[in-house]
Each structure stands twice: as C-alpha cells, then as structure tokens.
Amino acid sequence: MSETTAAAVYRSSQGDEKKVSLDVQRAKGPELSNQLGADLTREVDLGIHTGFSAFTKGIDTEDRIDNHPEIQELLEEIRASKYDYLLAYDDSRLTRDDFFFVMHYACIEGDCVMTFSDDIDLDSLEFRVRRVVE
C-alpha cells in the first residue's frame, strides 16, 4: 500500500514576512494534511508574492507566480502524480488569476485533489464566476 502524500502552498499578497495570515496558513497546512491522513511531504512557502501570472502581468514581467521556480517544480511533481493532495488555505493562496486553472488542470493530470481549509466547491458555477470577477 502506498503512502498518501500532500504538498502545501503558502502565500500572501502584501505586507511582510511577519504577517499573521502567513502564520495561520503555515499552521493550517499540517492540520489539513493530518485531517486527510496524508503526509505533508512538500511545503512551498512563497511568503509575500503577488500571486499574479502572465495572464495578468504579461509575459515580459519576471516576478510572476507561473515563473517562480518552486511553482514550476511543484507543477511538474503534481503532473507526475507525486502528491495525492495540493493544500492551501483558500484558492486565492495558490494564485490570484487564471493561472489557478492551469494548476487545477495539473492536478487533474496527476490525480491530485486540491483541498482548502475553507469549504470550496471547485465545480460550482459560483466558484467559477467569483474567480473570473476577482
């Protein structure tokens, strides 16, 4: 029987590294992993990062989440089925724009379930409309 594994992403848009929301995210990742019965084998802690990708910032901007080496490596590992779960406090902690759907698709390819501390139904129309409007 194989072990159940999880990766977690922590990120905040603004402030500094001492921001309370980052501390909350860092505490919730292991809690959520334990609730799922998964070993948290990877934590991607981006600290303060805008969370925007080329979808919003343009391809010529360097400080993009889709351009971040840890995110690129995480996506490769997800597609290779290294994790059963991708954890985050909420969907906006992964990314602030349409790059979310790139990450979601990687999870589909790698049979990895996106799971959040907040109860978020990724298949609902409400969720999809909110992502586009935000």
Side-chain angles (χ1 to χ4, degrees), residues 11 13 50-53 55-56 65 86 88-105 114 116 118 120-134:
R11 184 196 64 75
S13 300
T50 67
F52 288 107
S53 71
F55 283 102
T56 301
I65 197 155
L86 175 61
Y89 187 78
D90 63 37
D91 59 296
S92 68
R93 297 309 88 205
L94 294 175
T95 177
R96 305 280 311 166
D97 61 16
D98 287 345
F99 187 64
F100 173 86
F101 296 107
V102 173
M103 295 182 85
H104 188 219
Y105 188 73
M114 281 185 165
F116 307 102
D118 291 347
I120 297 172
D121 180 4
L122 297 178
D123 296 323
S124 74
L125 180 59
E126 176 188 353
F127 169 77
R128 292 176 186 276
V129 169
R130 184 178 53 80
R131 285 294 310 185
V132 170
V133 170
E134 285 183 348

Side-chain angles (χ1 to χ4, degrees), residues 9-116:
V9 175
Y10 315 125
R11 184 196 64 75
S12 185
S13 300
Q14 50 191 312
D16 61 38
E17 292 295 328
K18 296 176 186 170
K19 191 170 180 176
V20 172
S21 71
L22 283 171
D23 291 338
V24 170
Q25 290 178 57
R26 291 170 181 141
K28 288 288 186 177
E31 284 179 23
L32 188 53
S33 183
N34 284 336
Q35 289 173 1
L36 296 167
D39 291 327
L40 186 57
T41 58
R42 170 121 156 128
E43 294 178 282
V44 176
D45 193 337
L46 301 177
I48 304 301
H49 191 288
T50 67
F52 288 107
S53 71
F55 283 102
T56 301
K57 289 186 139 194
I59 201 72
D60 294 332
T61 306
E62 296 214 7
D63 186 29
R64 303 184 330 255
I65 197 155
D66 58 317
N67 194 17
H68 197 287
E70 283 192 82
I71 293 298
Q72 291 175 344
E73 184 177 326
L74 176 64
L75 287 175
E76 287 175 22
E77 292 171 348
I78 289 170
R79 288 184 184 110
S81 302
K82 186 168 181 177
Y83 309 108
D84 299 293
Y85 297 99
L86 175 61
L87 312 176
Y89 187 78
D90 63 37
D91 59 296
S92 68
R93 297 309 88 205
L94 294 175
T95 177
R96 305 280 311 166
D97 61 16
D98 287 345
F99 187 64
F100 173 86
F101 296 107
V102 173
M103 295 182 85
H104 188 219
Y105 188 73
C107 286
I108 291 168
E109 290 177 305
D111 197 24
C112 178
V113 179
M114 281 185 165
T115 306
F116 307 102

